[in-house]
Structure formats: C-alpha cells, structure tokens
C-alpha cells in the first residue's frame, strides 16, 4: 500500500512538472496570420485583457470587374446593420473577446464573416508557432461549425 502511495505521488509530481511545458504564453497568438486560401491577413493583438484581430490586407482589396461596385474598395456591405455597411473591410475587426484558457487554446470569442454578415462563436487553438486552428460555430461548444487554419 505504501509503495502505491509513493508511485502515485511521483506520478502526480511528474504531471505537475510537465504541465508548464505544454502551456503557451498568452501572447503566443499575437501577430499576423494569413487566412486559409490566402485571401486576407489578420493581425491578432491584445485589446485590454482579451485578444482581438482585424483585417490588415486583402489579396483583392477592390471589387472585381463583374461587380456593380467594380474597382471600389471592398466594404462591409453584407452586414445586417445598415449603419455598418459602409465600413471598409480592411481595418475591420474580425475576431474579438478571446481569453487564454491555458495550454494552447483561446476561448470565449467571436468571429465575423463579412461575406455573409454573420457572427459566430469561435475558439482559437495554436497547433504550432505557425499554425492556428480557427473553429467558428453556431453554438458555444463548437458542435455545429467549421474549422479553418491560418498560418504565419
């Protein structure tokens, strides 16, 4: 019985020592990320006690020739709020409200899709220093949603 207690205590001690090795610095997601498909670059930064991100560049910043607004800079025209439809896409806050939950995950945030004008719950998971898993969903638990990957 005493042997089991010693082994258990040692295992617990090793787990506690190993935990910081898997933990990420809360600022590890800060920086510029290219979206899946390479259509935009998002800058993630600290905003107060949370993390936010805005679009800093677009592969195609202007509407294409076949669009009614051809050649004009893209704007948030699909936003359900008419007062926000003239906001430029470049500079638009795309993600906000994330807290570092420990380890490699940032939770509690939202992501906005300017193509649909919809906002989703979102979780960010740093899979490596240069790969960020972005999970947007209709529910807080991420059951009904979509995952994409951004890279540095």
């Amino acid at each position: 019985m005493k042997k089991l207690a010693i082994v258990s205590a040692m295992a617990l001690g090793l787990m506690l020592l190993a935990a910081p090795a898997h933990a990420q610095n809360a600022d590890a997601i800060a920086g510029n990320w290219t979206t899946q498909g390479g259509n935009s670059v998002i800058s993630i930064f600290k905003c107060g006690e949370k993390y936010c991100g805005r679009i800093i560049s677009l592969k195609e910043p202007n509407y294409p020739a076949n669009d009614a607004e051809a050649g004009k800079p893209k704007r948030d025209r699909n936003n359900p709020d008419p007062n926000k439809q003239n906001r430029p896409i470049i500079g638009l806050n795309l993600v906000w409200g994330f807290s570092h939950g420990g380890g490699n995950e940032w939770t509690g945030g939202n992501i906005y899709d300017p193509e649909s004008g919809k906002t989703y719950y979102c979780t960010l998971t740093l899979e490596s220093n240069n790969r960020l898993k972005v999970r947007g969903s209709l529910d807080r638990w991420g059951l009904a949603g979509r995952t994409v990957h951004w890279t540095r």
Side-chain angles (χ1 to χ4, degrees), residues 8-82:
S8 296
M10 287 175 59
L12 179 61
L14 287 174
M15 287 182 354
L16 291 173
L17 288 174
H22 295 299
Q24 290 285 334
N25 174 339
D27 292 333
I29 60 167
N32 295 341
W33 296 90
T34 300
T35 58
Q36 188 168 308
N39 293 326
S40 58
V41 176
I42 312 302
S43 176
I44 295 181
F45 53 93
K46 190 130 188 202
C47 53
E49 294 298 314
K50 307 276 183 172
Y51 290 86
C52 304
R54 72 173 48 102
I55 299 171
I56 60 169
S57 70
L58 295 171
K59 184 177 181 179
E60 296 178 14
N62 298 327
Y63 289 109
N66 63 348
D67 191 278
E69 297 183 63
K72 293 182 180 178
K74 291 182 177 176
R75 58 187 179 82
D76 193 16
R77 67 184 179 185
N78 295 320
N79 194 302
D81 181 346

Side-chain angles (χ1 to χ4, degrees), residues 27-34 126 128-131 150-152:
D27 292 333
I29 60 167
N32 295 341
W33 296 90
T34 300
L126 195 60
S128 74
N129 285 336
N130 296 317
R131 184 173 163 95
W150 296 354
T151 57
R152 289 196 227 233

Side-chain angles (χ1 to χ4, degrees), residues 130-141:
N130 296 317
R131 184 173 163 95
L132 185 66
K133 179 173 123 179
V134 181
R135 174 80 178 161
S137 62
L138 298 170
D139 58 49
R140 289 193 183 276
W141 305 276

Side-chain angles (χ1 to χ4, degrees), residues 83-145:
N83 295 322
K84 296 180 178 179
Q85 292 175 352
N86 284 321
R87 299 186 302 180
I89 295 293
I90 295 178
L92 188 69
N93 286 331
L94 187 75
V95 293
W96 64 90
F98 291 89
S99 297
H100 185 232
N104 63 344
E105 194 168 80
W106 287 256
T107 60
N110 296 94
I111 188 165
Y112 175 69
D113 176 8
E115 290 183 19
S116 69
K118 294 182 180 177
T119 300
Y120 301 94
Y121 296 106
C122 188
T123 300
L124 304 173
T125 305
L126 195 60
E127 294 183 332
S128 74
N129 285 336
N130 296 317
R131 184 173 163 95
L132 185 66
K133 179 173 123 179
V134 181
R135 174 80 178 161
S137 62
L138 298 170
D139 58 49
R140 289 193 183 276
W141 305 276
L143 300 176

